[in-house]
């Protein structure tokens, strides 16, 4: 049985995209541009000029204050959305200036969180089962980069993920086959997500992972970085780059995408290593006439950035996860 993440859309339509973009539309309609006051050219009684601090336009003061505090806000990464045509986006909260108020700027003191030295730990092993969690999840957005922090709090992210993992909640799962002695990259893998469904049976697609390449310094493209909450905070380190696809499936013409993963945080505790991974997933699927006649369109596209932790183990020490695909014959 697969449990779906609450608040994670698995499909979209014109209505859902309209609702997603509606905050931006409402803000555009609600915004106002300060209009200069009209100046009368009739002679008036000469009065003593006020000090510069009192004659300043309150609207300009509040607008500059809003602009100075706006830099402390962290935008939320885009959620995975099934898109048939066009693209989906996300908006950031952009508070306007309060009219007639003399606001004072708020000064925050930077919080620097110490990060573990990854070089002192053993290199990561990219094999086995992983539980993945979308970076767009609100409870992870909140703890990843707290207000006024200059560095991510990876420990808080890891601990919060373990709380959800204990309930067997996750955005996706993947399995990476152990590499052989001649390579640091696995030969194949699997990927399943409650956000990437086969619309005909309403079950997660059994996505293949393959063509892996080991990178000493894994990087992301500018397009991929838009899915991250704070891409400039991503640490440099080794990782894997692979391709997503599907086995031969009736009704599906083609499928392709990208899978990337690397370790960003680790620490030793009581003889065991705690590890936090980050990565990116994209998947594009093209349907044939059978799916189109059933009203599912020409296909769908998915993409999101994720956090990852190693899967839990049962009482016998065996990992609880996807594992390798079972033979059909």
């Amino acid at each position: 049985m697969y449990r779906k993440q609450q608040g994670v859309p698995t499909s979209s339509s014109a209505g859902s995209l309209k609702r997603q973009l509606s905050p931006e539309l409402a803000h555009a309609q609600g915004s106002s541009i300060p209009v200069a006051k009209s100046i009368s050219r009739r002679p008036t009684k000469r009065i003593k000029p006020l000090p510069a601090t009192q004659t300043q336009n309150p609207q300009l003061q509040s607008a500059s204050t809003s602009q100075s505090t706006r830099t402390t806000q962290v935008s939320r990464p885009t959620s995975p959305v099934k898109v048939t045509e066009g693209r989906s986006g996300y908006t950031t909260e952009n508070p306007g200036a309060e009219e007639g108020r003399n606001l004072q700027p708020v000064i925050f003191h930077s919080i620097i969180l110490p990060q573990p030295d990854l070089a002192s730990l053993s290199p990561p092993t990219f094999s086995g089962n992983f539980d993945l969690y979308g970076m767009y999840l609100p409870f992870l957005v909140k703890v990843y980069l707290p207000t006024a922090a200059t560095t991510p709090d990876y420990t808080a992210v890891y601990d919060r993920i373990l709380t959800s993992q204990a309930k067997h909640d996750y955005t996706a799962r993947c399995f990476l086959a152990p590499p052989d002695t001649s390579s640091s990259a696995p030969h194949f893998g699997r990927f399943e997500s409650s956000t990437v469904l086969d619309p005909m049976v309403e079950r997660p697609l059994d996505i293949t992972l393959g063509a892996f390449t080991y990178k000493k310094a894994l990087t992301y493209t500018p397009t991929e970085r838009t899915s991250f909450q704070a891409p400039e905070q991503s640490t440099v380190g080794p990782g894997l780059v692979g391709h997503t696809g599907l086995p031969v499936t009736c009704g599906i013409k083609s499928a392709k995408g990208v899978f990337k993963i690397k370790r960003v945080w680790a620490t030793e505790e009581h003889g065991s290593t705690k590890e936090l991974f980050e990565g990116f997933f994209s998947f594009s699927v093209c349907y044939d006439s059978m799916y189109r006649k059933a009203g599912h369109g020409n296909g769908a596209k998915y993409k999101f950035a994720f956090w990852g932790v190693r899967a839990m183990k049962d009482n016998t020490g065996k990992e609880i996860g996807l594992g390798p695909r079972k033979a059909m014959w």
Side-chain angles (χ1 to χ4, degrees):
M1 180 178 296
Y2 299 87
R3 299 184 58 179
K4 298 185 178 181
Q5 290 291 319
Q6 297 182 356
V8 179
T10 61
S11 63
S12 70
S13 61
S16 63
L17 290 179
K18 181 177 180 181
R19 287 192 297 272
Q20 189 179 14
L21 297 177
S22 59
E24 183 180 10
L25 180 61
H27 174 72
Q29 293 176 348
S31 64
S32 61
I33 301 176
V35 180
K37 297 182 180 180
S38 60
I39 302 176
S40 173
R41 301 192 179 277
R42 297 172 54 188
T44 57
K45 183 178 179 181
R46 185 173 298 176
I47 59 175
K48 183 179 180 181
L50 296 176
T53 56
Q54 298 182 17
T55 58
Q56 186 177 2
N57 191 336
Q59 290 182 348
L60 297 180
Q61 287 185 352
S62 58
S64 61
T65 302
S66 175
Q67 189 174 11
S68 64
T69 58
R70 192 178 305 153
T71 57
T72 62
Q73 298 183 10
V74 178
S75 61
R76 177 175 297 180
T78 179
S79 302
V81 178
K82 178 181 176 181
V83 180
T84 301
E85 293 182 0
R87 63 176 182 174
S88 62
Y90 66 94
T91 59
T92 57
E93 192 175 350
N94 186 14
E98 294 188 32
E99 210 169 317
R101 286 236 187 136
N102 187 5
L103 302 179
Q104 297 297 327
V106 180
I107 300 176
F108 294 103
H109 297 284
S110 298
I111 302 174
I112 301 178
L113 302 174
Q115 301 299 321
D117 183 12
L118 296 180
S120 63
L121 300 174
S122 58
T125 302
F126 297 102
S127 64
N129 291 281
F130 296 82
D131 293 334
L132 311 179
Y133 298 81
M135 286 190 182
Y136 55 85
L137 294 173
F139 61 87
L140 295 181
V141 171
K142 182 179 179 180
V143 299
Y144 167 63
L145 200 63
T147 303
T150 59
T151 55
D153 191 350
Y154 290 123
T155 304
V157 174
Y158 180 85
D159 292 340
R160 183 61 183 85
I161 285 177
L162 292 190
T163 302
S164 297
Q165 188 184 41
K167 303 175 184 178
H168 299 283
D169 288 336
Y170 42 79
T171 305
R173 297 188 297 174
C174 75
F175 168 77
L176 303 177
D180 56 25
T181 56
S182 62
S183 173
S184 299
H187 292 289
F188 64 91
R190 295 178 63 195
F191 183 97
E192 278 191 6
S193 174
S194 59
T195 68
V196 186
L197 302 178
D198 184 337
M200 294 292 282
V201 296
E202 296 185 351
R203 290 176 58 87
L205 289 168
D206 191 358
I207 298 171
T208 61
L209 302 176
F212 284 107
T213 302
Y214 180 82
K215 299 289 186 180
K216 293 183 179 180
L218 180 66
T219 58
Y220 303 99
T221 67
T223 301
E224 294 167 353
R225 289 165 63 89
T226 60
S227 297
F228 289 76
Q229 181 180 352
E232 68 281 355
Q233 298 288 351
S234 181
T235 58
V236 178
L240 289 180
V241 179
H243 295 284
T244 59
L246 283 176
V248 177
T249 305
C250 181
I252 295 180
K253 293 168 56 177
S254 63
K256 62 180 181 179
V258 175
F259 178 84
K260 296 183 177 182
I261 187 171
K262 68 177 179 180
R263 189 175 71 179
V264 294
W265 175 88
T267 185
E268 293 281 354
E269 186 174 310
H270 304 300
S272 61
T273 303
K274 297 181 178 180
E275 297 174 289
L276 179 67
F277 298 82
E278 74 170 16
F280 175 81
F281 165 83
S282 68
F283 184 70
S284 176
V285 58
C286 182
Y287 303 144
D288 69 2
S289 58
M290 183 177 71
Y291 277 61
R292 293 196 300 268
K293 290 179 181 179
H296 300 302
N298 295 325
K301 294 181 179 180
Y302 306 85
K303 69 171 186 177
F304 58 89
F306 59 81
W307 300 112
V309 295
R310 296 193 181 274
M312 294 189 301
K313 296 182 179 180
D314 59 18
N315 295 333
T316 64
K318 182 181 179 181
E319 289 182 342
I320 304 173
L322 287 180
R325 182 177 290 102
K326 295 181 180 180
M328 301 300 294
W329 58 85

